[in-house]
Amino acid sequence: YGTPNIVLAKLADATNVAVVTAVSKVRRYGEERTSDYARIVEGALLRNPLAPEAFVVGQASRAGDEVVELVATHPNFPTEAFVRMVSGNDERWMLAGLRSDNEQIHLAVAANTHASAEILRSAIETKTARVREAVVRNPSTPDSLLVQIIEENAQGMA
């Protein structure tokens, strides 16, 4: 504690798990929390595959546009936390979820009643039957998208 953010930013790139974990536990307050260097420290930690799961999950709820992608692609971001994020009303998370390779996350997006027509349209492009079925069962799916799915099924594209 009391370590300058510039030093923490350098330490956040460490290849030693203990060092990275220690840096992730430093809590900044007031102006320190919103400073450019604080954001640099957090970004460096999120780019480090050794960042602990608790830190990565903690960043998910405060994520700005660039941080969403860092958190979503971090190897220590658990699927359960990702599902929680894509089940909310933030379309940035839904889009990040559709870019993942995890069908469980795709299913959560497809079932999300907050998902826009565009998001649901993107979800059916995964072409898995379970995801398409989740979109069909979603009460928020617009009729036009349901018609599109029916037409594709009739043409043998499903």
Side-chain angles (χ1 to χ4, degrees):
Y1 298 98
T3 305
N5 283 332
I6 189 80
V7 174
L8 291 172
K10 290 179 182 181
L11 292 172
D13 285 329
T15 56
N16 182 304
V17 174
V19 171
V20 175
T21 300
V23 172
S24 75
K25 291 181 179 180
V26 173
R27 300 291 179 245
R28 290 170 279 300
Y29 301 96
E31 287 183 21
E32 276 187 353
R33 176 74 184 99
T34 59
S35 75
D36 288 339
Y37 281 117
R39 286 191 291 275
I40 290 168
V41 171
E42 291 168 355
L45 283 167
L46 288 173
R47 287 179 186 84
N48 190 331
L50 300 178
E53 179 180 304
F55 175 80
V56 177
V57 171
Q59 291 297 306
S61 62
R62 297 189 303 257
D65 289 342
E66 76 175 41
V67 177
V68 167
E69 205 56 44
L70 289 172
V71 171
T73 58
H74 198 281
N76 290 336
F77 189 50
T79 299
E80 301 79 30
F82 206 159
V83 166
R84 251 188 336 272
M85 296 309 293
V86 302
S87 297
N89 59 6
D90 190 335
E91 288 196 354
R92 298 171 306 164
W93 278 105
M94 292 179 220
L95 289 169
L98 291 176
R99 287 190 294 273
S100 80
D101 293 331
N102 188 316
E103 187 183 36
Q104 183 180 354
I105 295 168
H106 293 191
L107 286 167
V109 173
N112 188 335
T113 57
H114 298 289
S116 67
E118 294 79 28
I119 298 283
L120 294 172
R121 193 174 315 279
S122 294
I124 64 168
E125 291 175 4
T126 65
K127 300 295 184 191
T128 68
R130 292 177 64 202
V131 172
R132 293 172 69 82
E133 182 178 338
V135 170
V136 169
R137 291 180 184 275
N138 185 332
S140 298
T141 300
D143 293 341
S144 60
L145 186 53
L146 293 172
V147 169
Q148 177 186 338
I149 293 169
I150 292 168
E151 288 173 350
E152 288 177 3
N153 281 336
Q155 295 173 1
M157 296 175 68

